[in-house]
């Protein structure tokens, strides 16, 4: 079992550009959550997908959107990037109401 | 406003001693609380979960307590080892769907 995988590992973009990050959940997991972690801070909840629908959303603008596919993998899209979006983006998967979450290694996004 | 506070100062401890970390929260009624370990540049790794109706949980050298009256959780690492050096994150959830609110984490450094 490969666990949670994310791609790409690192990404450099310029302000105003758009980015798509990808996540494959742990085998058997049906729920994917996305978090943003700034340097020295704890992860901040962006949103959660279950059965291909956004089930919960944190305090992030509409520039952040996502998608979940029938195979439970997920994408995070960020439009109109600005410098403050530079962070480690983490994907976590879980199953049902088993609240233990398995995190991927993250995608380090740098916006110049 | 809602806050989750962890000691921002690094905890330096000698090998073999017990490390005790604190997580305090305000304006939350958590259904459960989790502790994660995070190494530099990696995603968090789940350690322990404790529910609102539980007082204490143990797993090997780890122990967590949960006091909903004091709005506080304590996390103990007994017989600490240099390999325990990492940042430890406290996370709360107010529902069973898994949206986690994280503290900023406390860095633990165990010296031989």
């Amino acid at each position: 079992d490969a666990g949670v995988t994310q791609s790409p590992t690192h990404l450099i973009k310029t302000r105003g550009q758009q980015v798509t990050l990808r996540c494959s959940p742990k085998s058997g997991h049906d729920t994917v959550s996305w978090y943003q972690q700034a340097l020295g801070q704890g992860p901040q909840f962006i949103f959660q997908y279950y059965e291909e629908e956004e089930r919960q959303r944190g305090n992030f603008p509409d520039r952040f959107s996502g998608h979940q596919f029938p195979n439970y993998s997920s994408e995070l899209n960020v439009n109109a990037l600005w410098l403050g979006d530079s962070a480690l983006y983490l994907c976590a998967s879980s199953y049902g109401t088993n609240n233990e979450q398995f995190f991927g290694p993250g995608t380090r996004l740098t916006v110049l | 406003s809602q806050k989750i506070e962890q000691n921002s100062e690094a905890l330096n401890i000698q090998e073999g001693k017990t490390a005790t970390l604190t997580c305090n929260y305000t304006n939350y009624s958590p259904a459960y609380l989790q502790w994660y370990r995070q190494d530099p540049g990696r995603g968090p790794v789940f350690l322990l979960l404790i529910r609102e109706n539980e007082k204490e949980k143990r797993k090997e050298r780890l122990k967590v307590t949960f006091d909903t009256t004091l709005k506080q959780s304590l996390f103990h690492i007994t017989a600490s080892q240099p390999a325990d050096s990492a940042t430890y994150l406290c996370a709360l959830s107010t529902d069973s769907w898994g949206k986690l609110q994280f503290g900023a984490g406390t860095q633990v450094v165990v010296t031989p």
Side-chain angles (χ1 to χ4, degrees):
Chain A
D1 183 5
V4 179
T5 60
Q6 292 187 244
S7 63
T9 305
H10 296 87
L11 205 52
I12 298 175
K13 292 286 188 178
T14 56
R15 282 176 295 175
Q17 285 189 310
Q18 178 264 344
V19 68
T20 297
L21 311 181
R22 295 176 176 83
C23 170
S24 291
K26 183 176 170 65
S27 178
H29 284 187
D30 58 4
T31 302
V32 173
S33 302
W34 286 91
Y35 293 82
Q36 179 196 68
Q37 186 174 26
L39 206 59
Q41 300 298 316
Q44 298 294 312
F45 178 81
I46 302 175
F47 43 53
Q48 183 183 83
Y49 277 85
Y50 173 72
E51 292 189 343
E52 302 179 52
E53 296 286 334
E54 182 184 289
R55 181 161 68 180
Q56 296 187 96
R57 188 178 183 92
N59 189 25
F60 279 80
D62 292 344
R63 298 187 297 110
F64 290 77
S65 63
H67 189 77
Q68 186 179 35
F69 299 93
N71 67 352
Y72 307 116
S73 66
S74 178
E75 289 183 348
L76 164 66
N77 301 292
V78 187
N79 293 322
L81 286 166
W82 62 297
L83 299 179
D85 295 330
S86 295
L88 181 67
Y89 287 84
L90 295 162
C91 167
S93 73
S94 57
Y95 174 73
T97 55
N98 183 352
N99 309 117
E100 173 185 346
Q101 297 201 17
F102 289 78
F103 282 82
T107 294
R108 173 69 63 187
L109 173 64
T110 302
V111 182
L112 302 176
Chain B
S1 62
Q2 294 179 320
K3 287 184 183 179
I4 302 170
E5 295 179 312
Q6 296 185 252
N7 196 332
S8 59
E9 289 186 14
L11 178 63
N12 291 283
I13 192 164
Q14 195 173 16
E15 183 175 9
K17 302 293 186 182
T18 297
T20 298
L21 308 179
T22 303
C23 174
N24 294 300
Y25 59 91
T26 55
N27 294 322
Y28 276 104
S29 295
Y32 56 92
L33 185 149
Q34 301 184 28
W35 285 87
Y36 287 80
R37 168 190 173 134
Q38 187 172 28
D39 292 290
R42 313 279 296 261
V45 175
F46 172 81
L47 297 174
L48 280 169
L49 178 153
I50 187 165
R51 301 187 187 281
E52 59 178 332
N53 59 349
E54 297 175 320
K55 297 291 187 185
E56 182 179 300
K57 270 281 187 69
R58 292 174 184 261
K59 179 183 176 183
E60 298 173 352
R61 295 184 295 109
L62 308 179
K63 184 179 84 169
V64 62
T65 63
F66 194 10
D67 189 326
T68 55
T69 301
L70 291 178
K71 298 187 185 300
Q72 180 182 81
S73 174
L74 298 179
F75 178 78
H76 308 270
I77 308 171
T78 58
S80 58
Q81 304 167 0
D84 294 326
S85 298
T87 295
Y88 291 84
L89 298 161
C90 162
L92 304 182
S93 182
T94 56
D95 59 55
S96 60
W97 288 353
K99 172 184 174 181
L100 295 177
Q101 309 283 346
F102 281 87
T106 298
Q107 184 183 14
V108 173
V109 179
V110 182
T111 53

